[in-house]
Amino acid sequence: MPAAEKDKLVETHSLLMNTIDGWERRASWKYSLRYQREEGNTFFYTCIWSIPTRRRPIPRATCTVFFEVEYPANGDDSPIIRYTLESLSVVRREGENKFREKWLDQVIDSKIQLREEQSRDQIETAAGNVNR
């Protein structure tokens, strides 16, 4: 990888880390930011969020935020940061839309609820098969 490309990756990663670190949220939220790919002047990243605890270091559910960082072709303007949360179709633009911690909570809560419903269904199905 040429040095200029590597510098741009480091710059973009740092830009996203600073952006995420500026979001208001509980300190218990942890995240992992990963580079995915580059298409022209746009860089794609995923950020996986969770709330690990001592009792449960592997969280029951996570929430992924998908980022696009677009550098204007003229190179003079600031990069445009867009993001969307998994299972939510709204694309938000940093600086225009304030991040809400409740979005992470909603995705994780819905995943946990879905798992619990699936577990209940499996138990009911298994119990039905035993009673036949």
Side-chain angles (χ1 to χ4, degrees):
M1 174 181 295
E5 284 183 37
K6 188 171 184 176
D7 290 345
K8 191 59 107 178
L9 281 176
V10 170
E11 176 187 341
T12 304
H13 190 87
S14 178
L15 174 67
L16 286 175
M17 294 287 287
N18 289 335
T19 297
I20 293 167
D21 288 343
W23 286 351
E24 292 180 25
R25 64 182 190 282
R26 296 184 309 269
S28 55
W29 282 104
K30 304 300 180 205
Y31 68 89
S32 173
L33 182 65
R34 298 212 175 148
Y35 169 77
Q36 297 298 313
R37 69 185 186 286
E38 175 185 352
E39 293 178 11
N41 292 335
T42 304
F43 293 78
F44 296 85
Y45 283 77
T46 56
C47 184
I48 301 173
W49 291 86
S50 66
I51 303 179
T53 64
R54 284 186 180 166
R55 292 187 66 210
R56 195 181 290 260
I58 299 173
R60 291 173 56 192
T62 62
C63 176
T64 303
V65 177
F66 301 95
F67 283 97
E68 294 178 19
V69 180
E70 179 184 349
Y71 288 89
N74 64 16
D76 295 335
D77 297 326
S78 298
I80 298 166
I81 302 172
R82 294 181 192 91
Y83 62 94
T84 188
L85 283 78
E86 69 175 284
S87 75
L88 303 177
S89 60
V90 178
V91 177
R92 294 173 170 80
R93 186 169 168 173
E94 182 62 27
E96 292 179 5
N97 305 104
K98 184 177 178 182
F99 172 80
R100 304 273 190 247
E101 178 182 8
K102 70 179 182 179
W103 299 333
L104 297 174
D105 287 324
Q106 289 170 343
V107 171
I108 287 180
D109 290 346
S110 68
K111 284 183 170 183
I112 291 171
Q113 182 180 0
L114 180 63
R115 276 200 193 110
E116 289 171 351
E117 288 173 9
Q118 287 175 335
S119 292
R120 278 194 300 271
D121 289 348
Q122 289 172 346
I123 291 170
E124 289 172 4
T125 300
N129 289 338
V130 169
N131 293 333
R132 288 184 188 178

